[in-house]
Amino acid sequence: MLAILLAISSVSSSAAWAEDKPFAIAIHGGAGTIKPSNFTPEKEQAYRDKLAQAVDAGYAVLAKGGSSLDAVTTAINVLENSPFFNAGIGAVYTHNEQHEMDASIMDGQTMNAGAVAGVKHIKNPIDLARLVMDKSVHVMLYGEGAEEFALTQGVSLVANESFDTQHRYQALQRAKAKMEQAKLEDKDYLVAHSDLDTEYKVGTVGAVALDKQGNISAGTSTGGMTNKRYGRIGDAPIIGAGTYAENGVCAVSATGHGEFFIRYQVAGDICAKVKYQQKSIIQAADEVINQRLITAGGMGGVIAIDHRGNIATPFNTDGMYRATRKSGEQAQVMIWRDK
């Protein structure tokens, strides 16, 4: 009888401990050339509503005692299923007028991770990245191999055309026209691509979360770069570049010009500053995004969370779609620096 009472007491104490622990989530829908002048009041509200829906969906998982991994995937699913953002249904077009998507997820508790790149027929790439982490011996799978693995896990493939949207197609045509004009000016491909506006080079969705058990996770999903060629892969599926999470330190999801985020291992660098230099998550993220990265010419931003639920959302572009929500608080949704 004493043993039973002690067991019940232990369970009750653990539950009470979990209830008292902070939890939080942050999401982003991409950074880039996001100017207020391009938004009608109705369009702006539609974006804000979708960001609020995503962060609230992830928060609901955490509030019920769910894992940070589940919160991250739940929030990202909402964004992938919206045509507003460059992931899933809203994915941009490649040069060949198709959609190639990348995603990754990382568990800060176990340091396990999963990623997929260049998938063309997966409705929710973040879910497949989770399956790679949970159900395979690998970290990253690419293209047809990733989709073959998806079939073994009961994931249905969808037509690539199901990701078509008119506004993304128009963006592709504008990018191609700019590249053709560059050719007439005798610019090589490297220079011509460098001259493309930021809006063609960025766009991602992601989430980071801290659950009641103190575990943190991060996930990122993207349609890549408009008019990309040659099977280009950005930072989103690369652990340490676009995604990183480590319990007791921080979790990061990035969005921006992926080549720079890979070169400067942005997500990992932020967490290294927290871990080894004892810098706050806000200071560490700001130093990488608004000092080191911008000096190198890299554009974008991150969302980051530490093991206490502190959140940083720095960016060096015109705007970044983002939302945060902490335990006991309402969601905060922002697009520009001041609102």
Side-chain angles (χ1 to χ4, degrees):
M1 177 63 73
L2 179 59
I4 294 175
L5 290 175
L6 288 173
I8 293 174
S9 175
S10 175
V11 171
S12 299
S13 297
S14 297
W17 177 84
E19 287 298 321
D20 292 338
K21 299 295 286 186
F23 61 94
I25 183 170
I27 66 164
H28 70 77
T33 309
I34 306 170
K35 297 181 181 296
S37 58
N38 294 335
F39 286 78
T40 64
E42 294 77 16
K43 180 180 178 181
E44 178 183 339
Q45 190 59 51
Y47 273 81
R48 290 183 181 276
D49 288 347
K50 187 57 65 175
L51 290 167
Q53 178 188 350
V55 78
D56 286 345
Y59 181 90
V61 173
L62 298 173
K64 295 176 182 177
S67 71
S68 56
L69 282 169
D70 287 343
V72 163
T73 54
T74 297
I76 291 177
N77 282 166
V78 173
L79 300 174
E80 287 178 329
N81 293 338
S82 168
F84 294 162
F85 309 104
N86 179 17
I89 290 175
V92 298
Y93 285 81
T94 67
H95 182 78
N96 295 328
E97 300 189 358
Q98 292 190 322
H99 309 277
E100 296 176 0
M101 294 160 286
D102 312 325
S104 66
I105 193 167
M106 188 167 186
D107 180 354
Q109 180 183 17
T110 63
M111 302 295 287
N112 286 338
V116 294
V119 295
K120 298 180 180 180
H121 306 95
I122 304 297
K123 180 183 177 183
N124 294 108
I126 193 65
D127 292 346
L128 184 55
R130 175 81 180 268
L131 285 170
V132 172
M133 179 178 71
D134 292 340
K135 302 295 184 179
S136 84
V137 297
H138 306 297
V139 171
M140 183 186 291
L141 299 180
Y142 174 78
E144 292 181 2
E147 295 182 351
E148 182 180 352
F149 170 74
L151 291 174
T152 71
Q153 301 302 308
V155 177
S156 299
L157 304 187
V158 298
N160 194 254
E161 293 79 9
S162 65
F163 303 107
D164 288 355
T165 53
Q166 188 61 32
H167 68 291
R168 297 299 189 197
Y169 186 74
Q170 292 171 349
L172 172 66
Q173 301 310 313
R174 290 194 298 270
K176 283 186 173 182
K178 288 178 180 291
M179 295 289 283
E180 287 300 319
Q181 181 60 40
K183 283 184 181 180
L184 296 177
E185 298 171 4
D186 291 328
K187 295 181 179 180
D188 63 24
Y189 180 81
L190 180 62
V191 173
H193 187 273
S194 297
D195 288 346
L196 280 176
D197 296 338
T198 302
E199 66 177 293
Y200 301 116
K201 303 175 184 177
V202 299
T204 314
V205 307
V208 294
L210 166 71
D211 63 32
K212 292 181 180 181
Q213 290 71 44
N215 298 316
I216 56 178
S217 302
T220 311
S221 181
T222 184
M225 182 183 290
T226 301
N227 198 37
K228 64 182 178 180
R229 305 181 72 176
Y230 316 118
R232 178 262 186 186
I233 299 172
D235 65 302
I238 299 178
I239 301 303
T243 303
Y244 191 79
E246 182 177 353
N247 267 20
V249 184
C250 74
V252 178
S253 173
T255 172
H257 191 167
E259 280 68 15
F260 287 91
F261 282 71
I262 296 171
R263 293 170 190 156
Y264 290 87
Q265 50 184 334
V266 165
D269 192 25
I270 291 171
C271 289
K273 288 178 177 292
V274 174
K275 184 175 183 178
Y276 299 115
Q277 298 179 352
Q278 287 76 53
K279 292 185 176 179
S280 72
I281 191 65
I282 294 175
Q283 182 181 3
D286 180 71
E287 285 183 3
V288 173
I289 297 300
N290 290 315
Q291 295 180 40
R292 188 167 191 240
L293 191 65
I294 201 169
T295 299
M299 308 300 288
V302 298
I303 51 172
I305 192 169
D306 69 14
H307 65 290
R308 296 185 182 89
N310 297 310
I311 294 172
T313 63
F315 56 97
N316 59 33
T317 54
D318 291 325
M320 182 170 78
Y321 301 110
R322 63 203 188 278
T324 65
R325 191 171 180 186
K326 297 182 178 181
S327 50
E329 299 180 7
Q330 293 301 307
Q332 300 294 316
V333 179
M334 300 185 74
I335 300 176
W336 300 283
R337 297 192 187 282
D338 57 345
K339 60 177 182 176

